[in-house]
Amino acid sequence: MFFHKKCGGGIDYIIAGLGNPGREYEDTRHNMGFRVLDILAYQTGANGWKTRKKGLECRARLPQGTAVLVKPQTFMNKSGECLQETLAFYKLAPEHLIVIYDDIDLVAGAVRVRPSGGAGTHNGMRSIVPVVGENFPRIRVGVGKPEHGDLADYVLGRPQQAEQKLLEQALEAAAQAALCIMSDGAEKAMQRFNGFKAEKKDG
């Protein structure tokens, strides 16, 4: 089903950001992936988002190559349905998929890159790995854990102002990490970004 070459449309990578569709989920901690794609689309002057299969897409032409930015619209725990169909449509191997998502096991504002691996505890990744496999790079944006209260309420909640400033730095770094993977590979991106941790700023 998957191929290692470019598809007929000249696509080099699919960059997928995970999140939940709908206004009620905008800017929540669980939508870090969507927010990184918004940054990439803005920075690259990508065309407007269009519906294809089970996601929203736009195409970004970059010095590193051409990428399709994808926001699955299946809700988080069915993200794999969208990405499996997207890879098949563009005839790309999983190695040419980059997935960006939130991680409660990283402090707010941290960024981590991995070249491959299992799903962990993230519901979106638990949907993706069984249908795509483990051999694709991923970028995690730390959102931290609550000291008290329900975890679901926390990830579906919106960050406070101080936390938001940390996350904005991390989102920018995650966007750059995706471009680094495209140009130099996941190992180089790990070396460059895995020490990243947003700093508190006055004001």
Side-chain angles (χ1 to χ4, degrees):
M1 179 176 65
F2 298 124
F3 299 80
H4 288 270
K5 61 184 179 180
K6 288 185 184 182
C7 73
I11 304 302
D12 296 283
Y13 269 91
I14 294 166
I15 304 177
L18 303 189
N20 286 311
R23 182 166 295 180
E24 65 268 37
Y25 297 107
E26 287 181 2
D27 300 324
T28 62
R29 295 179 181 91
H30 220 21
N31 275 34
M32 293 296 107
F34 280 13
R35 294 182 63 186
V36 173
L37 291 200
D38 288 337
I39 291 171
L40 284 170
Y42 175 78
Q43 291 179 344
T44 60
N47 292 329
W49 297 93
K50 298 178 181 179
T51 300
R52 185 189 295 278
K53 301 294 183 179
K54 297 178 180 178
L56 291 177
E57 294 185 5
C58 66
R59 188 170 298 195
R61 292 178 172 85
L62 311 162
Q64 297 89 341
T66 300
V68 173
L69 311 182
V70 181
K71 297 179 180 179
Q73 299 294 291
T74 50
F75 288 92
M76 187 67 79
N77 62 357
K78 293 185 178 180
S79 300
E81 295 179 9
C82 172
L83 297 188
Q84 183 182 34
E85 291 185 8
T86 303
L87 283 168
F89 179 82
Y90 289 107
K91 298 182 174 65
L92 288 176
E95 293 91 331
H96 291 258
L97 169 68
I98 301 169
V99 178
I100 307 169
Y101 59 100
D102 61 287
D103 194 327
I104 60 171
D105 293 320
L106 296 176
V107 298
V111 173
R112 293 292 184 276
V113 178
R114 290 185 68 191
S116 60
T121 60
H122 193 277
N123 286 337
M125 293 296 285
R126 285 180 170 179
S127 170
I128 295 167
V129 168
V131 296
V132 171
E134 297 185 356
N135 194 25
F136 62 90
R138 68 285 312 267
I139 303 168
R140 297 177 290 155
V141 178
V143 296
K145 287 181 180 178
E147 294 183 8
H148 308 286
D150 182 73
L151 185 57
D153 289 342
Y154 176 79
V155 296
L156 294 176
R158 290 175 171 80
Q160 299 298 316
Q161 184 174 3
E163 180 188 354
Q164 176 65 22
K165 291 181 178 180
L166 295 176
L167 291 174
E168 287 173 357
Q169 297 175 54
L171 294 171
E172 292 280 353
Q176 293 304 308
L179 300 182
C180 185
I181 291 172
M182 285 185 64
S183 60
D184 301 317
E187 296 295 334
K188 287 286 187 181
M190 289 172 64
Q191 295 173 16
R192 181 175 172 188
F193 291 97
N194 278 7
F196 182 88
K197 184 178 177 181
E199 298 179 357
K200 293 182 179 180
K201 296 181 179 180
D202 297 332

